[in-house]
Amino acid sequence: CAPLIPESPRYLLKVGRKDKAVEVLRYVASVNGNMLPESLELVEGKVEKERSFCDQLYDLCITHCKMTALIWLLFLSVNGNFYGLI
């Protein structure tokens, strides 16, 4: 891909290339003028399974339901008062 931009260490861990991830981290640290500790240990995290679009939309609606209802109530009451419909 791009020769000057290394792969993300996070991606490399996800695909199982732990040695390459450490190498990239050491390179980035050296470019920044720092050193990584010798006892550096990378821990592979738990990968979430892909969720469907409907599941993501449902979560979005549930988490923002109260705020959306409050905004609509505020919008309707302000416009109702402005136009004299109430």
Side-chain angles (χ1 to χ4, degrees), residues 4-63:
L4 299 177
I5 302 172
E7 286 286 351
S8 164
R10 185 181 211 181
Y11 168 76
L12 292 170
L13 276 177
K14 187 175 180 181
V15 295
R17 296 175 57 193
K18 196 172 190 177
D19 294 336
K20 181 69 176 171
V22 171
E23 182 183 320
V24 169
L25 286 173
R26 291 196 192 286
Y27 169 72
V28 170
S30 68
V31 168
N32 289 331
N34 295 319
M35 289 184 57
L36 288 179
E38 292 297 324
S39 62
L40 177 69
E41 182 178 330
L42 299 179
V43 179
E44 295 179 35
K46 188 170 138 182
V47 178
E48 288 186 23
K49 70 174 196 169
E50 291 292 324
R51 296 183 342 192
S52 69
F53 176 74
C54 292
D55 290 340
Q56 292 175 0
L57 187 62
Y58 176 75
D59 288 344
L60 181 66
C61 291
I62 293 300
T63 55

